[in-house]
Amino acid sequence: MMMAEVPKTRSKAARRTLLIMVTVFAVPYMLAWFLYFKPGALELGTRNHGTMISPMIGPEQFQLVQLDGQSPREAAGSDRWMLLSFGEGSCDADCEKTLFTMQQLRKMAGVEKTRLRRGYVVPMGAGGPGLESTLDQFQGTELLLADAPQLQWLEQRLGIETGELYLHIIIADPEANLVMWYPREMDPKKIFADIEILFGRVKRV
């Protein structure tokens, strides 16, 4: 009787081993398949301080140009991110505070500060010598232009109240995709914590 039960015991053990092997090898493929169709699931459990833009807004949807007509993407290096603030063509005390915050965020990046550009976006045809003089106080801040209808579209796309885009800071990746936005009053340390993640310094847990 005991000898007859051995094959059954071995059979059960073999089936159990096979099931474990199938599970180990199949789960990664099932997970990859799930994330392929549900990419937003990757954002679950993250603790970013800003608001993720999902899906990202690409340069073909929101176009910026420099004063010379060149795209800022064409002038960027392969790993340079950009902080964007917005205005109507002038820069009051609150605007200057925002530009100062972006300047400080770049300094906080330390040796990697060259990877972080800063841009002040105004509607086409706006701005002037007074604005350029203000930007000179925040050395390295680029004056960028966008069509007014595109700026209105961006507000709608992000769910920002009409005319309040200037109250926010947006981060663009090296490919000029808009990826995250913040209220300009947010603690710079929280914004920088996200920048470190984008730079790949640390990982979310």
Side-chain angles (χ1 to χ4, degrees):
M1 292 295 295
M2 294 297 293
M3 294 297 293
E5 292 179 359
V6 171
K8 291 183 179 180
T9 303
R10 289 179 177 173
S11 178
K12 289 181 180 179
R15 283 198 297 270
R16 211 166 27 242
T17 301
L18 179 61
L19 180 60
I20 293 173
M21 292 179 63
V22 169
T23 301
V24 169
F25 287 103
V27 167
Y29 290 101
M30 293 170 64
L31 181 60
W33 185 258
F34 173 74
L35 293 177
Y36 177 79
F37 289 101
K38 299 279 188 180
L42 287 171
E43 297 172 16
L44 296 178
T46 59
R47 296 197 303 274
N48 47 279
H49 301 288
T51 301
M52 295 289 296
I53 301 175
S54 181
M56 297 183 300
I57 298 174
E60 68 283 352
Q61 296 171 284
F62 183 74
Q63 299 178 353
L64 294 171
V65 295
Q66 300 175 153
L67 292 179
D68 59 5
Q70 187 179 26
S71 164
R73 179 185 178 187
E74 296 171 353
S78 59
D79 65 344
R80 300 187 70 190
W81 297 72
M82 178 173 269
L83 295 170
L84 299 172
S85 61
F86 301 82
E88 292 296 327
S90 59
C91 191
D92 58 15
D94 287 333
C95 165
E96 292 185 14
K97 182 180 177 182
T98 303
L99 297 181
F100 177 76
T101 295
M102 295 199 303
Q103 186 179 59
Q104 292 305 107
L105 286 168
R106 185 174 186 272
K107 289 181 179 179
M108 290 167 70
V111 295
E112 292 189 291
K113 65 183 181 181
T114 55
R115 296 180 61 188
L116 196 59
R117 304 167 69 194
R118 293 159 291 142
Y120 183 63
V121 183
V122 300
M124 292 284 189
L131 177 58
E132 292 179 32
S133 176
T134 299
L135 294 184
D136 285 342
Q137 300 175 41
F138 304 93
Q139 189 174 13
T141 302
E142 304 171 44
L143 181 58
L144 302 173
L145 308 174
D147 288 327
Q150 277 201 311
L151 293 170
Q152 295 170 2
W153 173 85
L154 183 59
E155 287 179 328
Q156 296 173 359
R157 172 69 170 73
L158 299 180
I160 294 173
E161 292 292 331
T162 301
E164 294 189 357
L165 186 59
Y166 73 97
L167 295 175
H168 301 82
I169 294 173
I170 293 179
I171 295 182
D173 71 11
E175 296 299 318
N177 298 300
L178 307 186
V179 297
M180 191 174 290
W181 60 277
Y182 305 82
R184 70 180 184 183
E185 297 300 325
M186 180 172 282
D187 183 348
K189 292 181 180 178
K190 293 183 177 181
I191 299 177
F192 185 69
D194 286 349
I195 290 174
E196 285 194 300
I197 301 299
L198 297 174
F199 278 9
R201 286 186 179 180
V202 294
K203 297 180 180 179
R204 289 288 183 209
V205 293

